[in-house]
mmCIF file of all heavy atoms in Angstrom:
data_model
loop_
_atom_site.group_PDB
_atom_site.id
_atom_site.type_symbol
_atom_site.label_atom_id
_atom_site.label_comp_id
_atom_site.label_asym_id
_atom_site.label_seq_id
_atom_site.Cartn_x
_atom_site.Cartn_y
_atom_site.Cartn_z
ATOM 1 N N THR A 47 60.221 18.723 6.678
ATOM 2 C CA THR A 47 61.010 19.923 6.378
ATOM 3 C C THR A 47 61.152 20.090 4.862
ATOM 4 O O THR A 47 61.227 19.121 4.104
ATOM 5 C CB THR A 47 62.406 19.866 7.025
ATOM 6 O OG1 THR A 47 63.218 20.874 6.445
ATOM 7 C CG2 THR A 47 63.069 18.517 6.814
ATOM 8 N N TYR A 48 61.160 21.393 4.459
ATOM 9 C CA TYR A 48 61.379 21.700 3.041
ATOM 10 C C TYR A 48 62.434 22.784 2.865
ATOM 11 O O TYR A 48 62.905 23.029 1.757
ATOM 12 C CB TYR A 48 60.063 22.131 2.373
ATOM 13 C CG TYR A 48 59.813 21.438 1.047
ATOM 14 C CD1 TYR A 48 58.594 20.823 0.802
ATOM 15 C CD2 TYR A 48 60.766 21.385 0.049
ATOM 16 C CE1 TYR A 48 58.326 20.194 -0.398
ATOM 17 C CE2 TYR A 48 60.508 20.756 -1.152
ATOM 18 C CZ TYR A 48 59.279 20.147 -1.368
ATOM 19 O OH TYR A 48 59.025 19.513 -2.549
ATOM 20 N N TYR A 49 62.831 23.492 3.947
ATOM 21 C CA TYR A 49 63.833 24.510 3.798
ATOM 22 C C TYR A 49 65.167 23.852 3.419
ATOM 23 O O TYR A 49 65.571 22.875 4.053
ATOM 24 C CB TYR A 49 64.073 25.272 5.100
ATOM 25 C CG TYR A 49 62.927 26.123 5.575
ATOM 26 C CD1 TYR A 49 63.018 26.711 6.837
ATOM 27 C CD2 TYR A 49 61.823 26.378 4.801
ATOM 28 C CE1 TYR A 49 61.971 27.517 7.332
ATOM 29 C CE2 TYR A 49 60.786 27.189 5.302
ATOM 30 C CZ TYR A 49 60.870 27.739 6.530
ATOM 31 O OH TYR A 49 59.869 28.528 7.018
ATOM 32 N N VAL A 50 65.843 24.400 2.426
ATOM 33 C CA VAL A 50 67.137 23.821 1.996
ATOM 34 C C VAL A 50 68.107 23.762 3.195
ATOM 35 O O VAL A 50 68.826 22.792 3.371
ATOM 36 C CB VAL A 50 67.846 24.657 0.908
ATOM 37 C CG1 VAL A 50 68.952 23.850 0.250
ATOM 38 C CG2 VAL A 50 66.892 25.143 -0.139
ATOM 39 N N TRP A 51 68.156 24.849 3.989
ATOM 40 C CA TRP A 51 69.146 24.899 5.061
ATOM 41 C C TRP A 51 68.836 23.882 6.149
ATOM 42 O O TRP A 51 69.733 23.387 6.801
ATOM 43 C CB TRP A 51 69.330 26.314 5.583
ATOM 44 C CG TRP A 51 68.165 26.947 6.216
ATOM 45 C CD1 TRP A 51 67.208 27.720 5.605
ATOM 46 C CD2 TRP A 51 67.804 26.948 7.630
ATOM 47 N NE1 TRP A 51 66.294 28.194 6.533
ATOM 48 C CE2 TRP A 51 66.608 27.729 7.761
ATOM 49 C CE3 TRP A 51 68.362 26.355 8.760
ATOM 50 C CZ2 TRP A 51 65.990 27.943 8.989
ATOM 51 C CZ3 TRP A 51 67.729 26.592 9.990
ATOM 52 C CH2 TRP A 51 66.561 27.334 10.074
ATOM 53 N N TRP A 53 67.537 20.961 5.400
ATOM 54 C CA TRP A 53 68.007 19.717 4.797
ATOM 55 C C TRP A 53 69.502 19.560 5.042
ATOM 56 O O TRP A 53 69.976 18.446 5.292
ATOM 57 C CB TRP A 53 67.683 19.712 3.301
ATOM 58 C CG TRP A 53 66.221 19.494 2.979
ATOM 59 C CD1 TRP A 53 65.163 19.752 3.792
ATOM 60 C CD2 TRP A 53 65.676 18.993 1.742
ATOM 61 N NE1 TRP A 53 63.997 19.438 3.176
ATOM 62 C CE2 TRP A 53 64.269 18.976 1.929
ATOM 63 C CE3 TRP A 53 66.228 18.559 0.542
ATOM 64 C CZ2 TRP A 53 63.381 18.544 0.930
ATOM 65 C CZ3 TRP A 53 65.361 18.113 -0.455
ATOM 66 C CH2 TRP A 53 63.952 18.105 -0.254
ATOM 67 N N PRO A 133 58.567 16.956 0.986
ATOM 68 C CA PRO A 133 58.318 16.583 -0.391
ATOM 69 C C PRO A 133 57.536 15.273 -0.481
ATOM 70 O O PRO A 133 57.620 14.455 0.424
ATOM 71 C CB PRO A 133 59.703 16.409 -0.990
ATOM 72 C CG PRO A 133 60.605 16.100 0.176
ATOM 73 C CD PRO A 133 59.990 16.803 1.373
ATOM 74 N N TYR A 135 57.335 13.306 -3.576
ATOM 75 C CA TYR A 135 57.604 12.657 -4.845
ATOM 76 C C TYR A 135 57.293 11.143 -4.824
ATOM 77 O O TYR A 135 56.943 10.559 -5.828
ATOM 78 C CB TYR A 135 59.061 12.856 -5.279
ATOM 79 C CG TYR A 135 59.360 14.297 -5.631
ATOM 80 C CD1 TYR A 135 59.843 15.164 -4.668
ATOM 81 C CD2 TYR A 135 59.160 14.777 -6.929
ATOM 82 C CE1 TYR A 135 60.124 16.498 -4.984
ATOM 83 C CE2 TYR A 135 59.444 16.100 -7.244
ATOM 84 C CZ TYR A 135 59.931 16.954 -6.265
ATOM 85 O OH TYR A 135 60.177 18.264 -6.579
ATOM 86 N N GLN A 186 66.716 12.224 0.069
ATOM 87 C CA GLN A 186 65.961 13.327 0.708
ATOM 88 C C GLN A 186 65.747 13.006 2.195
ATOM 89 O O GLN A 186 65.550 11.824 2.556
ATOM 90 C CB GLN A 186 64.625 13.516 0.008
ATOM 91 C CG GLN A 186 64.789 14.039 -1.407
ATOM 92 C CD GLN A 186 63.458 14.434 -2.073
ATOM 93 O OE1 GLN A 186 62.431 13.810 -1.838
ATOM 94 N NE2 GLN A 186 63.528 15.444 -2.921
ATOM 95 N N PRO A 187 65.759 14.018 3.047
ATOM 96 C CA PRO A 187 65.615 13.735 4.495
ATOM 97 C C PRO A 187 64.368 12.980 4.868
ATOM 98 O O PRO A 187 64.379 12.241 5.830
ATOM 99 C CB PRO A 187 65.545 15.158 5.115
ATOM 100 C CG PRO A 187 65.931 16.111 4.073
ATOM 101 C CD PRO A 187 65.905 15.437 2.745
ATOM 102 N N PHE A 300 68.660 28.555 -7.903
ATOM 103 C CA PHE A 300 67.298 29.030 -8.073
ATOM 104 C C PHE A 300 67.197 29.860 -9.363
ATOM 105 O O PHE A 300 68.101 30.625 -9.642
ATOM 106 C CB PHE A 300 66.840 29.905 -6.904
ATOM 107 C CG PHE A 300 66.172 29.152 -5.785
ATOM 108 C CD1 PHE A 300 66.877 28.246 -5.024
ATOM 109 C CD2 PHE A 300 64.818 29.325 -5.553
ATOM 110 C CE1 PHE A 300 66.261 27.521 -4.038
ATOM 111 C CE2 PHE A 300 64.164 28.593 -4.557
ATOM 112 C CZ PHE A 300 64.878 27.701 -3.779
ATOM 113 N N PHE A 428 53.206 30.737 -2.353
ATOM 114 C CA PHE A 428 53.394 29.554 -3.189
ATOM 115 C C PHE A 428 52.330 28.480 -2.960
ATOM 116 O O PHE A 428 52.115 27.634 -3.820
ATOM 117 C CB PHE A 428 54.800 28.964 -2.969
ATOM 118 C CG PHE A 428 55.870 29.908 -3.400
ATOM 119 C CD1 PHE A 428 56.659 30.592 -2.459
ATOM 120 C CD2 PHE A 428 56.096 30.199 -4.725
ATOM 121 C CE1 PHE A 428 57.634 31.470 -2.849
ATOM 122 C CE2 PHE A 428 57.044 31.091 -5.153
ATOM 123 C CZ PHE A 428 57.847 31.734 -4.197
ATOM 124 N N ASP A 449 59.899 32.251 -8.370
ATOM 125 C CA ASP A 449 61.215 31.634 -8.482
ATOM 126 C C ASP A 449 61.087 30.147 -8.166
ATOM 127 O O ASP A 449 60.023 29.699 -7.722
ATOM 128 C CB ASP A 449 62.250 32.318 -7.545
ATOM 129 C CG ASP A 449 61.954 32.074 -6.082
ATOM 130 O OD1 ASP A 449 60.989 31.369 -5.735
ATOM 131 O OD2 ASP A 449 62.702 32.622 -5.267
ATOM 132 N N TRP A 450 62.142 29.412 -8.448
ATOM 133 C CA TRP A 450 62.062 27.971 -8.243
ATOM 134 C C TRP A 450 63.463 27.383 -8.104
ATOM 135 O O TRP A 450 64.368 27.758 -8.828
ATOM 136 C CB TRP A 450 61.390 27.313 -9.450
ATOM 137 C CG TRP A 450 61.585 25.816 -9.534
ATOM 138 C CD1 TRP A 450 62.422 25.157 -10.419
ATOM 139 C CD2 TRP A 450 60.923 24.803 -8.747
ATOM 140 N NE1 TRP A 450 62.323 23.810 -10.172
ATOM 141 C CE2 TRP A 450 61.424 23.572 -9.164
ATOM 142 C CE3 TRP A 450 60.004 24.834 -7.685
ATOM 143 C CZ2 TRP A 450 61.029 22.352 -8.593
ATOM 144 C CZ3 TRP A 450 59.598 23.647 -7.117
ATOM 145 C CH2 TRP A 450 60.103 22.418 -7.578
ATOM 146 N N GLY A 451 63.614 26.526 -7.122
ATOM 147 C CA GLY A 451 64.836 25.744 -6.989
ATOM 148 C C GLY A 451 64.494 24.275 -6.932
ATOM 149 O O GLY A 451 63.490 23.885 -6.296
ATOM 150 N N ALA A 452 65.274 23.436 -7.554
ATOM 151 C CA ALA A 452 64.964 22.021 -7.631
ATOM 152 C C ALA A 452 65.071 21.366 -6.250
ATOM 153 O O ALA A 452 65.858 21.788 -5.395
ATOM 154 C CB ALA A 452 65.951 21.325 -8.575
ATOM 155 N N ASP A 453 64.286 20.326 -6.041
ATOM 156 C CA ASP A 453 64.366 19.579 -4.800
ATOM 157 C C ASP A 453 65.430 18.488 -4.869
ATOM 158 O O ASP A 453 65.779 17.911 -3.856
ATOM 159 C CB ASP A 453 63.001 18.935 -4.489
ATOM 160 C CG ASP A 453 61.971 20.029 -4.210
ATOM 161 O OD1 ASP A 453 62.345 21.133 -3.764
ATOM 162 O OD2 ASP A 453 60.774 19.786 -4.462
ATOM 163 N N PHE A 454 65.887 18.165 -6.051
ATOM 164 C CA PHE A 454 67.096 17.329 -6.221
ATOM 165 C C PHE A 454 67.770 17.744 -7.532
ATOM 166 O O PHE A 454 67.093 18.108 -8.474
ATOM 167 C CB PHE A 454 66.763 15.824 -6.164
ATOM 168 C CG PHE A 454 65.600 15.398 -6.988
ATOM 169 C CD1 PHE A 454 65.801 14.833 -8.255
ATOM 170 C CD2 PHE A 454 64.282 15.547 -6.527
ATOM 171 C CE1 PHE A 454 64.691 14.421 -9.010
ATOM 172 C CE2 PHE A 454 63.178 15.148 -7.290
ATOM 173 C CZ PHE A 454 63.416 14.567 -8.526
ATOM 174 N N TRP A 477 53.415 24.309 -8.964
ATOM 175 C CA TRP A 477 54.634 24.967 -9.479
ATOM 176 C C TRP A 477 54.577 25.153 -10.986
ATOM 177 O O TRP A 477 55.302 25.964 -11.528
ATOM 178 C CB TRP A 477 55.886 24.184 -9.087
ATOM 179 C CG TRP A 477 56.184 24.312 -7.644
ATOM 180 C CD1 TRP A 477 55.951 23.362 -6.676
ATOM 181 C CD2 TRP A 477 56.702 25.466 -6.947
ATOM 182 N NE1 TRP A 477 56.331 23.873 -5.438
ATOM 183 C CE2 TRP A 477 56.790 25.125 -5.592
ATOM 184 C CE3 TRP A 477 57.098 26.728 -7.356
ATOM 185 C CZ2 TRP A 477 57.279 26.024 -4.616
ATOM 186 C CZ3 TRP A 477 57.583 27.621 -6.420
ATOM 187 C CH2 TRP A 477 57.681 27.261 -5.065
ATOM 188 N N ALA A 544 75.015 20.453 -4.517
ATOM 189 C CA ALA A 544 73.655 19.943 -4.631
ATOM 190 C C ALA A 544 72.647 20.865 -3.924
ATOM 191 O O ALA A 544 71.454 20.737 -4.149
ATOM 192 C CB ALA A 544 73.541 18.521 -4.055
ATOM 193 N N PHE A 545 73.128 21.713 -3.017
ATOM 194 C CA PHE A 545 72.203 22.534 -2.216
ATOM 195 C C PHE A 545 72.391 24.030 -2.438
ATOM 196 O O PHE A 545 71.507 24.792 -2.069
ATOM 197 C CB PHE A 545 72.419 22.220 -0.722
ATOM 198 C CG PHE A 545 72.155 20.761 -0.359
ATOM 199 C CD1 PHE A 545 73.202 19.848 -0.357
ATOM 200 C CD2 PHE A 545 70.877 20.351 -0.014
ATOM 201 C CE1 PHE A 545 72.947 18.522 -0.016
ATOM 202 C CE2 PHE A 545 70.649 19.040 0.338
ATOM 203 C CZ PHE A 545 71.684 18.105 0.334
HETATM 204 N N1 LIG B 601 61.299 23.550 -4.674
HETATM 205 C C1 LIG B 601 61.011 24.481 -3.632
HETATM 206 C C2 LIG B 601 61.079 25.912 -4.112
HETATM 207 O O1 LIG B 601 61.489 26.182 -5.203
HETATM 208 C C3 LIG B 601 61.957 24.333 -2.526
HETATM 209 C C4 LIG B 601 63.347 24.439 -2.975
HETATM 210 C C5 LIG B 601 64.342 24.503 -1.898
HETATM 211 N N2 LIG B 601 64.193 23.434 -0.964
HETATM 212 C C6 LIG B 601 64.684 22.256 -1.143
HETATM 213 N N3 LIG B 601 64.624 21.449 -0.148
HETATM 214 N N4 LIG B 601 65.230 21.872 -2.268
HETATM 215 O O2 LIG B 601 60.698 26.796 -3.404
#
Side-chain angles (χ1 to χ4, degrees):
T47 167
Y48 228 129
Y49 293 171
V50 195
W51 62 271
W53 287 23
Y135 292 91
Q186 292 188 326
F300 268 68
F428 296 108
D449 67 3
W450 164 256
D453 296 332
F454 47 99
W477 289 104
F545 301 91

